Amino acid sequence: MRKLLTGNEAIALGAYEAGIHYAAAYPGTPSTEILENLAKYKEEIIAEWAPNEKVAVESALGASIYGARSLAAMKHVGLNVAADPFFSSGYTGVNGGLVLITADDPGLHSSQNEQDNRYYAKFGKVAMVEPSDSQEAKNMVKIAMEISEKFDTPVLMRLTTRVCHSKSLVEVGEREEVPIRPYKKNLGKYYLAPAVAKQLHVKVEERLKKLEEFSNETDLNYVEWNDKKIGIISSGIAFQYAKEVFKDKASYLKLGFTNPLPMDKIKKFAEEVETLYVVEELEPFIEEQVKAAGIDCIGKDKIPNVWELNPEIVEKSLLGKEREVIEYDKSIVVNRPPTLCAGCPHRAFFYELSKRKDTIITGDIGCYTLGGAEPLNAMDTTICMGASISAGHGMERLIDGYDDNKRVVSVIGDSTFFHSGMTSLLDVVYNKSNTITCVLDNRITAMTGHQDHPGTGYTLQGEPTKMANIAEIAKALGIEHVKTVNPLELKELKAAFDWAYSLDEPSVIISRWPCALKRLSEYDKKEFDYKPGKCEVDQEKCIGCKICVNTGCPAIYFDKEAKKSSINAAQCVGCELCMQVCPVKAISEVGE
């Protein structure tokens, strides 16, 4: 039987068939659906959301050492967070197979940078595989598990957005029930004291030589012979692009096992073709090593190393051909930048915060990053997960030292607070800063598609669990001034900001209201007095001041000819922010 699956769905199926016992991840586009699909196999697999990627990798490594086949998944920047255990796992090796999935995001569809994580495999001295479609994604999970156990190494599986989210046919198989390997205490392998690690480094280098031999032998790296005037070395989704452009007018060395590279196989292939191209997305990972081996090739001097690759770019770069495209008047295409949803509780928060003078707002990664966009314009920085509180602290220390009268407000989401904000808040307390930290608690990990986290009261596999309380955590970390507010009440928000600005000690404001798109949990129904409704503009009363438009709500639009505001009933959820800002009370709630 075959199914049409995305790469992420195929990986979950492959992990199930490969007999894995444990999986952990922190949600991050484009990798999120891997764990969501693995969670369905409740009888066979323990699948968990972790507070961050470091914890996910450490948990998976622990399960592997115990003897279980284990998997951890993350988006590319997540591997930065998990880099510490990742590099150490290269030394300890495994017991049960361990596969770490990194989903890179060429084109920055939903990320703060465009890094190429293939270099992590080389730097960490671990094996790497790269599927180029869903069938390979499924197959490679099982192969990667076998490589991991055979060579005693974690295996990095590198995906990109196009493989994660594109669909292709996948042959469905049966699950292989793999017994958990016996656990044996082994200080010489899992105890990374310096004296032990020194000896393990020698073993790592010996392992890399064996892996290169395997790389030259495995069918994961194979040749397709066609016309030998052009030879192409490629991997991942870039191989599909090269095939689409050159078809049978070129020969291909398709690489599925890409660290270490099969240099003997590459040399033999290069000797057989007249002109050698290396087609790869983002950085010249393969090209650099090919050239270092003394093999002439054409790569990044023609193919760009920025943004997502596609067949059109490959064709134009290597053949100088422009594909015919449909011509249209680009001036009439509406520019639709991302924006906070209608009814988003973050909008009211940023609307009120934006009124504050002499304020630096350090932001973070999540839906609320959009608070920095027009018209709210209520953010100064966004760096990485958890950086808002730390960066704000650094600024505050300088502000104190140079007698500046500015205040720093650090804004972070609930899931991100659990991810890596707690340690930053502890730093604020420990180093005696007086920043105002605002946790925008919308009761879910919203931006990646509503995944549970330690504060929602549910596990990934739907079991009720202990609900982490942000206010109690903040107090436990040493914050003495903590206030929880309803962000949809502007007067309540203003009072909270007045209170926090008046303090000369660190404070935490928790802005707590469910995401406008969230299906309310039983906990939410008990806590929040949520009454869905619609708002409407009285055209007779509206004076066309546009203050309601300046909240940035996508449900509100302005008729330039009539000089009046209106509300799209299909989008409005009745949050009433516009009602509170209208100076002439022209907006009211109607119906449900």
Side-chain angles (χ1 to χ4, degrees), residues 43-76:
E43 298 297 321
E44 299 86 1
I45 299 170
I46 300 169
E48 300 177 334
W49 289 131
N52 64 35
E53 297 83 357
K54 178 176 182 287
V55 174
V57 170
E58 289 164 345
S59 301
L61 178 59
S64 165
I65 291 172
Y66 182 70
R69 285 194 164 184
S70 306
L71 178 151
M74 64 213 78
K75 68 179 296 177
H76 62 297

Side-chain angles (χ1 to χ4, degrees), residues 57 98 180 221 291 297 383 483 491:
V57 170
L98 176 61
I180 291 178
N221 300 325
K291 287 183 173 176
C297 65
I383 300 170
K483 190 179 288 289
K491 289 182 180 177

Side-chain angles (χ1 to χ4, degrees), residues 274-440:
E274 291 182 23
T275 302
L276 181 64
Y277 293 127
V278 176
V279 179
E280 55 189 329
E281 200 171 40
L282 293 182
E283 300 300 320
F285 175 79
I286 298 171
E287 180 187 344
E288 285 178 345
Q289 296 183 67
V290 169
K291 287 183 173 176
I295 302 169
D296 188 34
C297 65
I298 298 169
K300 291 301 173 185
D301 47 342
K302 291 199 172 185
I303 300 173
N305 69 339
V306 296
W307 305 345
E308 191 174 23
L309 202 60
N310 62 38
E312 288 79 10
I313 294 172
V314 173
E315 189 163 18
K316 184 179 179 182
S317 301
L318 299 183
L319 300 178
K321 294 181 180 177
E322 294 262 12
R323 289 195 173 191
E324 288 187 12
V325 295
I326 299 172
E327 295 293 336
Y328 63 94
D329 183 358
K330 295 183 175 60
S331 67
I332 63 173
V333 177
V334 178
N335 184 21
R336 297 186 187 279
T339 184
L340 296 169
C341 302
C344 174
H346 302 338
R347 173 175 290 101
F349 173 87
F350 283 116
Y351 180 81
E352 190 60 38
L353 179 58
S354 67
K355 297 177 182 177
R356 297 281 157 171
K357 305 297 183 186
D358 292 326
T359 296
I360 299 174
I361 304 169
T362 53
D364 221 294
I365 306 294
C367 296
Y368 46 90
T369 307
L370 298 172
E374 297 290 348
L376 296 168
N377 197 26
M379 200 168 288
D380 291 78
T381 65
T382 299
I383 300 170
C384 64
M385 295 281 280
S388 60
I389 301 175
S390 315
H393 166 70
M395 289 184 180
E396 187 64 49
R397 295 295 286 163
L398 270 294
I399 288 170
D400 282 348
Y402 287 87
D403 294 326
D404 198 332
N405 61 358
K406 289 186 175 61
R407 291 299 304 267
V408 175
V409 177
S410 301
V411 180
I412 191 168
D414 45 349
S415 186
T416 315
F417 178 74
F418 295 122
H419 178 279
S420 48
M422 293 191 295
T423 47
S424 299
L425 189 59
L426 182 62
D427 188 47
V428 166
V429 175
Y430 175 61
N431 285 304
K432 299 185 282 188
S433 186
N434 71 340
T435 56
I436 301 167
T437 299
C438 298
V439 183
L440 305 193

Side-chain angles (χ1 to χ4, degrees), residues 539-588:
Q539 299 293 304
E540 296 297 322
K541 290 183 179 179
C542 179
I543 58 174
C545 66
K546 293 186 179 179
I547 291 177
C548 58
V549 177
N550 290 335
T551 63
C553 178
I556 302 174
Y557 58 97
F558 190 76
D559 186 328
K560 291 182 180 178
E561 291 187 3
K563 297 182 179 177
K564 304 282 185 180
S565 292
S566 294
I567 295 174
N568 183 337
Q571 287 186 287
C572 179
V573 298
C575 74
E576 301 183 2
L577 171 62
C578 53
M579 288 174 55
Q580 296 176 66
V581 304
C582 179
V584 294
K585 307 300 179 188
I587 305 175
S588 58

Side-chain angles (χ1 to χ4, degrees), residues 15-21 44 67-69 95-97 142 145-146 149 175-181:
Y16 167 77
E17 291 181 10
I20 77 157
H21 309 93
E44 299 86 1
R69 285 194 164 184
N95 184 13
K142 183 177 182 183
M145 283 291 172
E146 293 168 351
E149 291 173 352
R175 176 176 169 86
E176 178 186 1
E177 292 298 342
V178 180
I180 291 178
R181 292 183 162 193

Side-chain angles (χ1 to χ4, degrees), residues 418-493:
F418 295 122
H419 178 279
S420 48
M422 293 191 295
T423 47
S424 299
L425 189 59
L426 182 62
D427 188 47
V428 166
V429 175
Y430 175 61
N431 285 304
K432 299 185 282 188
S433 186
N434 71 340
T435 56
I436 301 167
T437 299
C438 298
V439 183
L440 305 193
D441 181 5
N442 63 0
R443 314 302 303 129
I444 202 73
T445 312
M447 193 169 193
T448 46
H450 288 191
Q451 290 75 35
D452 284 296
H453 59 60
T456 66
Y458 294 94
T459 68
L460 168 59
Q461 294 184 309
E463 296 176 0
T465 185
K466 181 76 174 179
M467 186 189 299
N469 185 304
I470 295 173
E472 291 178 359
I473 291 171
K475 291 176 182 175
L477 291 172
I479 299 291
E480 296 181 3
H481 309 286
V482 180
K483 190 179 288 289
T484 300
V485 298
N486 176 356
L488 299 182
E489 296 292 339
L490 291 182
K491 289 182 180 177
E492 192 176 334
L493 264 178

